[in-house]
Amino acid sequence: MAFELDQKYLAIRDEAAAAAAAAEPFAVEADAMSTVHEGMRKVLADSGLWTLTVPARWGGRFEAVDPLAVCVVREVLMGTSAHLDSLFALQGIGSFGLARAGNDKLRDEWLPEVASGEVLAGLGLTEQDAGSDLKNIVTEVHRDGERLVLNGNKSFISNGGAAGFYCVLAREDQGLSLFLVPADASGLTITPTPEIIAPHILAELAFDDVEVNEDNRIGEIGKGLEHVLATLAVFRVSVAGASIGLAQSALDEAARHAGTRVQFGRPLAKLGAVADMLGASWAELEAARLLTYKAADMARADPAASLHFSSMAKLVASETAGRITDRAVQISGRFGLVRDSKLERLYRQARPMRIYEGSSEILRLGISKTLVNNVLADGAAQAATTPEGARR
């Protein structure tokens, strides 16, 4: 079993590092914005990294989206700018359902522009009263004569107001369907979401008798949730990658400060309490990194079957990032509290990562369910192979 990235992924990491270096001069400015920073957008377009978020048929890099490649890029970008990381990742998150199940006309129209960055993508799932509980969304599509009409709302939608289209999950008949809704659709109203702790491109989407073309349904009627879960299977582990990158950046800042800041006649790093925090942080970070790479590699082979590992990676990495950024600020003292310093930004950016794309509590619930089901299934299989079980 290999524990190191092969040359293909190391080369992709180098590409991401070059993009991050180009974006560094305006990282503070961009991370304070809840609208698109055009400098960041140009960096990504010039880098070609967006080609990793769609299949090769529509201008992508690989035949299918590679979760490990996405994960490696997010690890690098998040260490420099949350805005940069988000702009990169949401192209895949917003378009994956379309790439997976959209008709050829729809995919040919939109996906090449996603790969180039000419159009930004958005995914409309959550509502005011339905976050993790997607089965209880109320946004719905109904037939009005020859028309299909969409009504409802979507809340806290990433890339809201910036995307050229949204893949929207809505109730249809007895199931949930996924529809592509262009941002300029008549009846769609977009308003900014209240600012959150770490600025992010977010908006509320209101659908008032928005007419949706039958051809804009992604996949079959009532099968929309399957495409959403497929999106999570591929991209949830990339949140773990971003968490690793954030934690690494915070730990580097803390180690640099502790190695050069002299108190009580010696560097902080030689004080027991500080050394304990640094050592624990590095060990936890490397453990989370290994789990993240393993989960991303498994998702390449079979995303749906390995969703529980992607959930574990996201859970462990995001919780680890929270602990490490907290320790890094503690080690840095007042210097870690300075507004818009790198550590202060990382500290704020770490907190939402334990909530979006599956809160830690929801992830633990799903992981626990899979564990119990697996153990019971293994027990039943073993019992069936015993002589007594075979006679039954």
Side-chain angles (χ1 to χ4, degrees):
M1 179 180 178
F3 290 93
E4 296 292 336
L5 295 172
D6 64 28
Q7 189 56 45
K8 175 174 73 173
Y9 296 107
L10 292 177
I12 289 171
R13 187 168 68 185
D14 288 343
E15 291 178 48
E24 179 72 48
F26 36 85
V28 173
E29 178 183 39
D31 284 0
M33 294 175 59
S34 50
T35 55
V36 175
H37 188 286
E38 291 302 327
M40 289 288 186
R41 184 170 183 165
K42 185 176 187 306
V43 164
L44 282 173
D46 291 346
S47 74
L49 290 172
W50 270 326
T51 61
L52 294 169
T53 65
V54 300
R57 178 177 170 182
W58 296 283
R61 186 88 57 103
F62 302 124
E63 183 178 351
V65 175
D66 185 328
L68 183 54
V70 173
C71 191
V72 167
V73 171
R74 294 198 67 183
E75 181 181 350
V76 175
L77 300 186
M78 187 66 187
T80 293
S81 165
H83 193 94
L84 186 66
D85 167 68
S86 177
L87 281 179
F88 167 74
L90 282 165
Q91 288 297 77
I93 294 168
S95 71
F96 187 79
L98 171 62
R100 182 177 192 262
N103 61 63
D104 285 347
K105 180 178 180 295
L106 208 56
R107 294 187 289 189
D108 292 345
E109 178 181 358
W110 292 103
L111 290 177
E113 294 190 333
V114 171
S116 67
E118 291 179 49
V119 167
L120 299 182
L123 180 62
L125 301 181
T126 59
E127 300 178 1
Q128 285 288 351
D129 297 319
S132 300
D133 189 11
L134 290 178
K135 290 183 179 179
N136 282 321
I137 64 171
V138 297
T139 297
E140 65 175 356
V141 167
H142 69 275
R143 189 166 293 281
D144 180 14
E146 295 298 314
R147 304 186 310 153
L148 285 176
V149 177
L150 176 66
N151 284 284
N153 72 85
K154 295 295 176 180
S155 183
F156 278 71
I157 302 305
S158 293
N159 269 2
F165 69 89
Y166 303 92
C167 290
V168 178
L169 189 66
R171 191 165 299 285
E172 184 180 24
D173 295 337
Q174 301 303 309
L176 299 174
S177 297
L178 197 63
F179 286 88
L180 185 146
V181 181
D184 61 359
S186 178
L188 170 58
T189 303
I190 302 173
T191 56
T193 293
E195 290 284 2
I196 62 173
I197 187 173
H200 186 73
I201 304 169
L202 291 169
E204 310 290 305
L205 311 182
F207 304 93
D208 183 12
D209 286 341
V210 174
E211 186 170 347
V212 288
N213 194 302
E214 192 92 40
D215 291 339
N216 280 28
R217 186 188 293 108
I218 297 171
E220 300 175 19
I221 294 175
K223 302 294 184 181
L225 193 57
E226 292 182 14
H227 310 314
V228 170
L229 293 177
T231 301
L232 292 178
V234 172
F235 285 94
R236 176 174 282 166
V237 69
S238 77
V239 182
S243 298
I244 295 300
L246 185 151
Q248 182 70 69
S249 188
L251 183 57
D252 289 348
E253 290 291 310
R256 190 176 298 112
H257 180 82
T260 57
R261 174 73 168 167
V262 175
Q263 293 286 283
F264 306 104
R266 51 184 170 170
L268 286 175
K270 293 190 176 181
L271 297 177
V274 174
D276 180 72
M277 287 190 282
L278 290 172
S281 294
W282 193 14
E284 291 172 18
L285 177 59
E286 292 306 321
R289 196 192 312 271
L290 282 174
L291 176 58
T292 297
Y293 285 178
K294 175 180 178 176
D297 189 56
M298 292 174 69
R300 287 193 306 161
D302 191 342
S306 62
L307 179 57
H308 56 293
F309 267 93
S310 293
S311 295
M312 281 190 270
K314 195 269 181 182
L315 170 67
V316 170
S318 62
E319 292 284 344
T320 296
R323 288 193 299 273
I324 289 176
T325 52
D326 186 72
R327 291 172 187 153
V329 170
Q330 194 70 17
I331 289 167
S332 301
R334 64 184 184 273
F335 300 102
L337 301 175
V338 175
R339 180 73 178 180
D340 287 333
S341 66
K342 190 159 193 176
L343 263 184
E344 189 267 347
R345 284 191 293 128
L346 292 169
Y347 182 77
R348 285 186 288 109
Q349 291 157 1
R351 190 60 187 87
M353 302 186 84
R354 290 156 55 193
I355 295 174
Y356 73 80
E357 288 208 37
S359 68
S360 294
E361 293 72 25
I362 291 295
L363 294 180
R364 290 188 183 101
L365 186 63
I367 293 165
S368 172
K369 180 180 178 180
T370 301
L371 170 65
V372 172
N373 288 343
N374 288 350
V375 170
L376 293 180
D378 288 346
Q382 290 174 9
T385 60
T386 63
E388 183 178 353
R391 284 196 297 272
R392 292 198 188 103

